[in-house]
Amino acid sequence: MTELKRAEEQVRTLTGELERRVEQRTSLLQATVSELESFSYFVSHDLRAPVARLEGYCTALLEDCGTCGHADCRRYAERAGLVVQQIKLIMDAFNSLTHLARCTLSIADADLSGIARTVAGDLAVLHPGREVEFVIAEGLRVNGDPALLKKALEHLLYNAWKFTSKRERARIEFGITEQQGVPVYFVSDNGVGFNMKYADKLFKPFQTIHTPGEFAWNGTGIGLAIVHSIVLRHGGRIWAEGEVGTGATFYFTLAENPESGSYLRQG
């Protein structure tokens, strides 16, 4: 009986220590997200007004350039206007990333194969001049938030579409493999690829490993960070493998039964 009581006391002590650690980590997470939300509010409100004023000045300049005799006047005003639009896109993307940290997951049956086919069809319609072979595995269904998983696949497939744009025969595949008994989903392409020494930069916001303007479609530099956040919210992980001139493959896992709702305190 003495040994049993001693064991029970030890279990209670360990349980209490574990609960304290979980509470501490949760508090740190709450504080981090709170800081992120404060910065997001600053981006959404405090920066929105001056950017809108700058946009107004660019519009006024374009109107005045109609009577201006300087050959470069209109060109400079148009470039300034494009920069303003890019700033607005980045602000919206950042706010979207912040939202993913605390949004409520609505778990349901998600048809990943169907989502991939829809995204591939949309890309083909938007860019009809390209010939791209899509290979999409059938019957890939998971438990998850269908809207968020669609957003993740949109970014991954768009990324593959973008970086195969210089290939005469582009090929993009969405499929499944297995590692240590765990299903692993992947999006691969035969595009420009990347140097693996930069792999850690891929999922960080506003990081890029390609020269700006190198490809026809310029993003916000936050797409893969959004994918990373969505995968984490689904209890999974994501990583990439690539080789310059050969292509790239993005792998991700998803928890079998991710928790619904939000893991952050409300109010």
Side-chain angles (χ1 to χ4, degrees), residues 1 44 164 220 239:
M1 290 297 294
S44 297
T164 56
T220 58
W239 67 98

Side-chain angles (χ1 to χ4, degrees), residues 84-104:
V84 171
Q85 295 305 314
Q86 183 72 4
I87 292 172
K88 290 172 67 176
L89 286 174
I90 292 173
M91 290 166 62
D92 291 340
F94 178 80
N95 289 330
S96 177
L97 180 62
T98 305
H99 170 72
L100 290 173
R102 64 171 298 122
C103 69
T104 299

Side-chain angles (χ1 to χ4, degrees), residues 190-263:
N190 65 340
V192 297
F194 63 91
N195 191 320
M196 282 296 291
K197 73 179 183 179
Y198 300 121
D200 290 341
K201 295 177 62 177
L202 290 172
F203 303 103
K204 295 180 180 179
F206 309 116
Q207 298 285 338
T208 179
I209 59 175
H210 294 283
T211 304
E214 184 180 354
F215 293 89
W217 303 281
N218 290 314
T220 58
I222 210 168
L224 290 177
I226 287 176
V227 177
H228 182 247
S229 183
I230 292 172
V231 170
L232 288 181
R233 289 298 311 272
H234 283 80
R237 65 188 187 95
I238 184 169
W239 67 98
E241 297 176 1
E243 184 178 344
V244 175
T246 300
T249 302
F250 288 82
Y251 299 94
F252 65 94
T253 63
L254 301 169
E256 186 175 354
N257 293 296
E259 293 186 19
S260 60
S262 173
Y263 60 85

